[in-house]
Amino acid sequence: MKEFNINTFVRKNIMALQPYISFRDQNEFNAPVMLDANECPFGEFNRYPDSAQKKLKEKLAEIKEVSPSQIAIGNGSDELIDLIIKIFCEPKKDAILMMNPSFAMYGFYATVNENAVLKLDLDENFEIVKDDFLKINKEQQAKIFFLCSPNNPTGNSIQDIEFFVQNFDGIVVIDEAYIEFSENNSGIELLNKYPNLIVLQTFSKAWGTAGARVGVAYASEEIIRLINTVKAPYNVNSLSQELIINLLDDKNRLKENVKKILEERTWLEEQFKNIGCIVKVFPTDANFFLIKMNNAPTVYQKMLEQEVLTSQRSPAIPDCIRINVGSREENEKLINVLKEIQP
Ligand SMILES: *Cc1c(COP(=O)(O)O)cnc(C)c1O
């Protein structure tokens, strides 16, 4: 087990904070007369949601083979990113570390909280350069390292993740928003060895429920307690909690989604070989491609004119566009539009 004293990393005001626990959620009642929360007595969704998300956590705990006390539920993993920064980073003083390029929201929430954003430039294969990582860890002492794998927007899985968890002197957040599309093991397996680790997953991508806004953090009990303390009590609404609880019972749903998307991914990859304006398709472990184009801004614009929306990555990643795998119908439209664009 890695040596790690969480008390020295948490902001003092957060450490001293008492969580809001609704009276109702602290106790078990059979047929309560509920006159405690000023709700309306009529209607289907008249009651506040379970602030502790108990059923959902129990289901997830069973599936992921962790304890419910190692799980925090967020309004999307986006909310969890925000909360994690607030728990550990003192405004105007602390910094976060992220890969470059990577998911923009780490920098966004750090900036909202007035924290500096240190960037670790990836190499030409979009891998982390270990020496650069060790150097920046030693010299700059960021509080949190956001390690996104498979990485958005590059699509590749980061190699040797444990090395970074082991050698970072602070909290490492492995963002696994796309893990279901890759064959790699989840960082959840490392939780027992690394008390400085947080693993984020989401129902927004492979599960197909981005509209429900449900993300999950897996970590030590201490870290989970802190997340539960700072979160808004009713951060995940009852409709979403119910939806996800039922979804988790539908064992084939995830498998089918992933299977179909991976089949479409393979189909697209084949089609891309015949597209003149494509210079390079980067290897992907996710449900999207990063593609280098001949004159990406023009290609992007021409796709947009045909109402094919993609994600422009120039100039940050020169001449690159990120395109996600859609339904066959959407993918065919994409290919038809790309075929008409002159290289
Ligand atoms: C899409 C995405 C998320 C956001 O997930 P939500 O659960 O919808 O908030 C988080 N991290 C990465 C890297 C993503 O690409």
Side-chain angles (χ1 to χ4, degrees):
M1 175 100 99
K2 182 181 162 114
E3 286 264 344
F4 185 74
N5 181 1
I6 185 138
N7 300 335
T8 61
F9 278 91
V10 181
R11 287 169 66 196
K12 288 201 173 53
N13 62 318
I14 303 288
M15 205 65 191
L17 200 61
Q18 290 302 313
Y20 172 88
I21 302 174
S22 85
F23 174 70
R24 208 181 274 177
D25 295 338
Q26 276 176 296
N27 300 279
E28 297 259 343
F29 299 102
N30 288 325
V33 174
M34 298 209 275
L35 304 177
D36 60 320
N38 297 349
E39 297 149 332
C40 174
F42 326 116
E44 203 185 344
F45 286 96
N46 58 329
R47 301 297 176 191
Y48 279 102
D50 174 8
S51 66
Q53 300 121 358
K54 203 159 161 256
K55 271 195 199 144
L56 179 49
K57 283 179 188 168
E58 276 167 9
K59 269 246 149 81
L60 280 171
E62 205 184 302
I63 295 168
K64 302 288 178 176
E65 299 179 349
V66 297
S67 149
S69 56
Q70 288 181 286
I71 301 176
I73 314 286
N75 197 281
S77 42
D78 259 27
E79 184 193 26
L80 296 165
I81 294 166
D82 183 29
L83 296 179
I84 291 164
I85 292 173
K86 283 180 184 157
I87 289 167
F88 296 103
C89 292
E90 200 68 60
K92 296 193 165 102
K93 189 171 153 241
D94 292 326
I96 67 147
L97 177 64
M98 62 180 284
M99 315 185 299
N100 183 38
S102 191
F103 188 49
M105 297 314 285
Y106 316 132
F108 173 84
Y109 287 119
T111 305
V112 171
N113 202 46
E114 296 190 81
N115 299 117
V117 180
L118 307 175
K119 293 192 175 177
L120 199 52
D121 289 333
L122 301 178
D123 70 13
E124 67 280 2
N125 299 316
F126 301 123
E127 286 291 341
I128 302 172
V129 183
K130 281 185 179 163
D131 284 343
D132 292 354
F133 164 80
L134 292 171
K135 187 161 181 277
I136 205 164
N137 174 55
K138 198 166 161 208
E139 291 174 0
Q140 311 245 18
Q141 303 199 329
K143 275 274 182 78
I144 308 169
F145 177 30
F146 286 95
L147 194 165
C148 187
S149 181
N151 187 26
N152 179 7
T154 59
N156 60 307
S157 294
I158 302 300
Q159 302 299 307
D160 205 2
I161 286 180
E162 187 168 354
F163 173 88
F164 303 103
V165 183
Q166 183 150 36
N167 289 293
F168 189 68
D169 298 319
I171 302 287
V172 178
V173 177
I174 306 178
D175 187 341
E176 297 185 338
Y178 302 96
I179 190 78
E180 293 91 346
F181 302 108
S182 104
E183 285 176 3
N184 292 344
N185 293 345
S186 166
I188 291 175
E189 290 182 359
L190 299 173
L191 284 176
N192 290 334
K193 254 164 108 179
Y194 298 100
N196 63 327
L197 176 61
I198 303 175
V199 176
L200 294 183
Q201 294 187 354
T202 179
F203 285 92
S204 295
K205 306 286 158 60
W207 284 94
T209 50
R213 310 303 304 124
V214 179
V216 189
Y218 301 92
S220 70
E221 285 191 11
E222 287 80 8
I223 292 177
I224 293 302
R225 198 178 307 125
L226 289 163
I227 297 175
N228 288 332
T229 299
V230 300
K231 79 176 182 67
Y234 305 114
N235 62 329
V236 183
N237 68 70
S238 16
L239 285 156
S240 294
Q241 290 193 44
E242 246 183 74
L243 179 88
I244 303 296
I245 288 165
N246 292 331
L247 194 61
L248 288 171
D249 282 336
D250 182 2
K251 297 266 182 287
N252 285 323
R253 170 74 168 271
L254 175 69
K255 268 191 217 151
E256 276 168 27
N257 279 358
V258 170
K259 184 166 170 273
K260 272 189 242 161
I261 291 167
L262 292 184
E263 279 167 10
E264 285 305 308
R265 188 173 85 181
T266 307
W267 184 82
L268 272 176
E269 214 163 4
E270 213 39 52
Q271 303 299 310
F272 287 152
K273 288 178 184 159
N274 308 317
I275 308 282
C277 60
I278 290 181
V279 177
K280 178 174 183 176
V281 180
F282 289 95
T284 182
D285 243 356
N287 64 339
F288 59 83
F289 291 95
L290 185 72
I291 304 178
K292 193 169 183 125
M293 305 273 190
N294 222 329
N295 197 351
T298 308
V299 176
Y300 172 78
Q301 202 54 41
K302 287 195 171 155
M303 286 194 285
L304 198 55
E305 281 162 20
Q306 303 292 317
E307 299 197 335
V308 174
L309 278 57
T310 59
S311 180
Q312 169 72 287
R313 295 285 130 180
S314 284
I317 316 177
D319 273 320
C320 282
I321 295 177
R322 193 194 64 198
I323 301 181
N324 79 268
V325 179
S327 64
R328 176 56 63 94
E329 210 182 342
E330 291 173 314
N331 297 337
E332 277 174 352
K333 173 99 196 271
L334 165 77
I335 294 299
N336 289 339
V337 169
L338 280 174
K339 274 182 178 158
E340 307 220 323
I341 298 172
Q342 298 303 318

